Amino acid sequence: YYPNPVVSDELTLHSNENITTVNIFNVIGHKVIARKPVALESKIQMQYLPEGVYIVQVAVGAKEGSFKIIKQ
């Protein structure tokens, strides 16, 4: 994933397998973005989200992981 921090209002996710689900949560746990791209690359538009810290939850095939990003 790149960039981090997100300064261009777009987060790009890239994988060797299809990305099946992307959920983005704010720091209090509310889901603010939900996508089902089913692709090797997904570009998430974040221009409508305020600056801050977000948790990105990604499912790739049967695997799932999460990471923290900063939107500036």
Side-chain angles (χ1 to χ4, degrees), residues 6-69:
V6 176
V7 292
S8 62
D9 292 331
E10 183 176 87
L11 174 67
T12 301
L13 304 170
H14 191 75
S15 176
N16 293 331
E17 297 179 49
N18 277 341
I19 301 166
T20 53
T21 307
V22 178
N23 293 311
I24 300 180
F25 299 87
N26 61 18
V27 290
I28 58 174
H30 291 120
K31 189 185 296 185
V32 293
I33 294 177
R35 299 283 183 271
K36 293 187 183 243
V38 189
L40 297 177
E41 184 174 279
S42 179
K43 293 181 185 274
I44 307 295
Q45 300 301 317
M46 299 184 67
Q47 68 266 26
Y48 299 111
L49 296 179
E51 292 181 354
V53 176
Y54 294 88
I55 303 299
V56 180
Q57 185 180 61
V58 180
V60 176
K63 299 176 226 152
E64 193 172 294
S66 60
F67 54 91
K68 186 186 322 183
I69 61 166

